[in-house]
Amino acid sequence: MDNQLDITTPSPYKSLEEIRARKDSLIKEIRKDDKQIRTHWNSLFHRPEAVGLMTPTKRITGLMSTGAGVLDGLILGWKLYRKFKGKTKRR
């Protein structure tokens, strides 16, 4: 019963104009917040456009990171292959 609206307390608004003004201000706040959310959402999932060419240091770092990931995947694949290659179901 805590969620029920208490209709005995007076409203802070005295006229329809006050209600309309409050509604307009809330709509402006909602639109401003929506714009901020959209900006943050887009910045999370879209790469920033490169201003110039990548520097050689960034290219080398990217290649090393990719190479390390590929090597890690190959080692994992080899270990799994060796572990499960000769095992068959026998009774």
Side-chain angles (χ1 to χ4, degrees):
M1 297 288 167
D2 293 333
N3 293 338
Q4 289 184 352
L5 180 62
D6 185 16
I7 56 175
T8 58
T9 58
S11 172
Y13 305 109
K14 303 290 184 207
S15 67
L16 286 177
E17 288 79 25
E18 291 177 1
I19 295 172
R20 286 186 185 117
R22 176 70 175 148
K23 179 183 171 186
D24 290 339
S25 68
L26 288 174
I27 288 173
K28 286 178 185 176
E29 287 178 31
I30 289 171
R31 288 187 179 148
K32 185 177 84 173
D33 290 343
D34 184 54
K35 186 177 179 182
Q36 273 186 326
I37 290 170
R38 287 177 189 269
T39 302
H40 290 302
W41 184 262
N42 287 332
S43 69
L44 283 174
F45 294 105
H46 297 287
R47 281 187 174 175
E49 295 186 23
V51 175
L53 296 175
M54 289 182 67
T55 63
T57 307
K58 287 184 180 179
R59 272 188 266 154
I60 292 171
T61 304
L63 286 173
M64 289 178 62
S65 175
T66 303
V70 169
L71 180 64
D72 187 40
L74 289 173
I75 292 171
L76 175 64
W78 179 249
K79 285 181 179 181
L80 291 174
Y81 172 75
R82 282 192 348 205
K83 183 174 182 175
F84 295 113
K85 75 174 183 176
K87 302 216 175 180
T88 59
K89 292 185 179 180
R90 296 183 188 168
R91 284 201 139 202

